[in-house]
Amino acid sequence: DASRLSRAMSELAASVDYSGNIVVVRTSPGAASYLASTIDRSGLDSIIGTVAGDDTVMLITRDPAGGATVCQELQDLARA
């Protein structure tokens, strides 16, 4: 759900960056797994899946050049 993802991004994301079809979201320590799960359940068709560490989430986009678009979407959600 978009409101849950927006809330999680605004509370947990420290930065969002991308390269090609990979988007990297930095979080505070311990928050990446929760944020990745929220992203996975958000229903964004542009994201194939996520991998979470302790403070980093890596997203893979469906479009080989989709990182820029998804990065912008997540940054917009974090500001909402």
Side-chain angles (χ1 to χ4, degrees):
D1 144 300
S3 63
R4 176 177 285 162
L5 180 56
S6 179
R7 188 170 49 254
M9 284 297 298
S10 66
E11 292 174 2
L12 303 175
S15 68
V16 185
D17 205 352
Y18 75 95
S19 177
N21 71 326
I22 297 172
V23 179
V24 175
V25 182
R26 302 277 185 192
T27 70
S28 56
S33 183
Y34 176 79
L35 182 57
S37 177
T38 303
I39 292 168
D40 287 339
R41 286 188 260 139
S42 71
L44 292 175
D45 290 334
S46 56
I47 299 172
I48 292 174
T50 62
V51 178
D54 183 56
D55 63 355
T56 305
V57 179
M58 181 176 72
L59 297 85
I60 307 299
T61 67
R62 194 166 305 282
D63 179 350
T69 302
V70 171
C71 181
Q72 187 63 56
E73 288 175 16
L74 293 177
Q75 288 172 334
D76 291 347
L77 284 170
R79 287 190 286 268

